[in-house]
Amino acid sequence: MSDPEDLYELTADAEGVPEGLHLIMGLTGFADAGGAVAQFTDYLLTTLDHTVVASFDTDTLLDYRARRPIIYFDQDHLTNYQPPSLQLYLARDEIGQPFLFLTGFEPDFRWEQFTAAMLQLVDRFTVSSTTWMHAIPMPVPHTRPIGVTVSGNRSDLIENRSVWRPHTQVAANVLHLLEFRLQERGASTVGYVLLVPHYLGDTEFPAAALSALESTSASTGLIFPTDRLREANREFVARIDDQVQSNPELAKLVGTLEQRYDAYMEGSTLRSPLTDEDGELPSADEIAAELENFLALRRSRDDGANS
């Protein structure tokens, strides 16, 4: 394996990073139902003070043909080319507590070298704990709190916050590998999987970002401003509720999800909130297609009314 230090470059601000900080991580490119990670990372970068302390080599880690960067065509010339980045920041929460924050694209290549590089940085900054998250679509209702599955070695968080604890194989992302390596070392690490309503998986669901912030606070004690996200979520949910209530068939389907969720959370013998009485998964395609068709119909009616 090549030298892990070849993958990143420290900035001058790295010398001023205090020891013993929490490290929070959220990378894009893997499953991100409800835009949870993208919203979470963007919200932190736009609301909190931060400075770059390390930058990773995009040319080495990114498959440009799989995730093509955007360039702007301005009438007769090209402008504003901004390739993806993967950076480690020193940030401060709402009351000034410092923490480290890794965000950007998930590496396509050299996972072992990247993981070794992150372990070097964990050692360099004497990181006290790591927290990371991603989000997957699940047949759960939007009218209930977003649940999480918790991994890692924080037994307190697993016991108090993990609502679904499956025995299954999953497609890994690079932060799974980093968590695994940290566990081998006995370092404090926790991963959150946000369980987002599958029929909202392709939207930007503000509640998913709120759940990411709340989960991060639970594992780190950091405090984040949430007023703007909470207001956005109230408006988002109001629109969805109006659309669901206007469609009896869709309302019935969402109601079924609510019943299964509530029965599970009340300690029912159901194996999980995702299965029916026969242990079968409800039709994700049916619910998603129904909602998409209904939204398309509403847009068509709105366009007709405005023409």
Side-chain angles (χ1 to χ4, degrees):
M1 182 173 65
S2 301
D3 187 345
E5 288 189 9
D6 292 341
L7 283 185
Y8 65 89
E9 182 176 346
L10 296 172
T11 70
D13 291 320
E15 296 300 323
V17 175
E19 292 185 351
L21 300 184
H22 297 291
L23 170 60
I24 299 169
M25 299 177 289
L27 304 181
T28 59
F30 190 59
D32 188 20
V37 176
Q39 291 183 87
F40 168 70
T41 56
D42 180 69
Y43 194 75
L44 291 185
L45 291 178
T46 56
T47 59
L48 301 180
D49 292 335
H50 60 276
T51 184
V52 177
V53 296
S55 295
F56 284 86
D57 186 350
T58 300
D59 272 356
T60 300
L61 296 175
L62 181 69
D63 182 351
Y64 285 90
R65 292 176 63 186
R67 290 186 280 181
R68 295 182 182 273
I70 301 299
I71 193 168
Y72 184 70
F73 190 92
D74 186 3
Q75 295 188 351
D76 58 2
H77 63 284
L78 301 173
T79 63
N80 196 28
Y81 171 66
Q82 294 183 347
S85 64
L86 176 56
Q87 295 180 314
L88 180 66
Y89 297 89
L90 173 63
R92 294 185 180 276
D93 74 354
E94 191 171 27
I95 61 173
Q97 298 178 98
F99 65 96
L100 291 167
F101 181 39
L102 177 74
T103 186
F105 64 87
E106 180 192 7
D108 294 302
F109 307 117
R110 303 200 182 190
W111 278 23
E112 290 287 357
Q113 188 182 4
F114 171 76
T115 299
M118 284 304 303
L119 293 176
Q120 281 188 348
L121 292 170
V122 165
D123 290 340
R124 176 186 179 90
F125 298 123
T126 320
V127 167
S128 63
S129 73
T130 62
T131 297
W132 72 280
M133 64 198 58
H134 67 289
I136 60 175
M138 281 289 181
V140 292
H142 73 280
T143 53
R144 300 294 184 268
I146 290 181
V148 297
T149 290
V150 185
S151 62
N153 52 20
R154 291 284 303 274
S155 58
D156 57 327
L157 296 170
I158 294 171
E159 181 64 27
N160 294 329
R161 301 187 68 86
S162 192
V163 300
W164 187 47
R165 307 177 193 180
H167 298 274
T168 187
Q169 293 180 319
V170 297
N173 69 43
V174 75
L175 294 183
H176 281 119
L177 178 57
L178 179 56
E179 178 187 312
F180 182 74
R181 298 292 185 226
L182 288 165
Q183 278 190 273
E184 289 181 325
R185 291 173 150 211
S188 176
T189 182
V190 59
Y192 293 108
V193 185
L194 309 178
L195 309 177
V196 175
H198 58 280
Y199 52 92
L200 299 178
D202 291 332
T203 70
E204 287 195 352
F205 188 20
L210 281 168
S211 181
L213 290 169
E214 291 165 357
S215 297
T216 300
S217 293
S219 57
T220 64
L222 296 169
I223 298 174
F224 304 110
T226 60
D227 289 349
R228 180 161 57 87
L229 269 179
R230 293 186 187 281
E231 178 61 29
N233 188 60
R234 284 191 288 269
E235 295 175 359
F236 182 94
V237 170
R239 292 196 300 269
I240 295 299
D241 284 345
D242 177 63
Q243 293 163 351
V244 170
Q245 290 167 9
S246 300
N247 185 319
E249 186 174 357
L250 183 57
K252 181 180 178 180
L253 290 170
V254 173
T256 299
L257 293 179
E258 291 176 334
Q259 292 173 4
R260 291 174 184 155
Y261 180 97
D262 291 343
Y264 177 75
M265 295 304 290
E266 290 169 4
S268 155
T269 56
L270 290 176
R271 292 179 300 173
S272 90
L274 315 180
T275 56
D276 61 17
E277 292 81 358
D278 299 320
E280 298 295 329
L281 286 172
S283 171
D285 289 342
E286 182 180 10
I287 297 176
E290 182 68 22
L291 183 60
E292 290 171 3
N293 291 339
F294 183 66
L295 295 179
L297 179 61
R298 287 292 295 265
R299 286 194 295 268
S300 177
R301 289 175 178 172
D302 290 343
D303 291 344
N306 294 329
S307 61

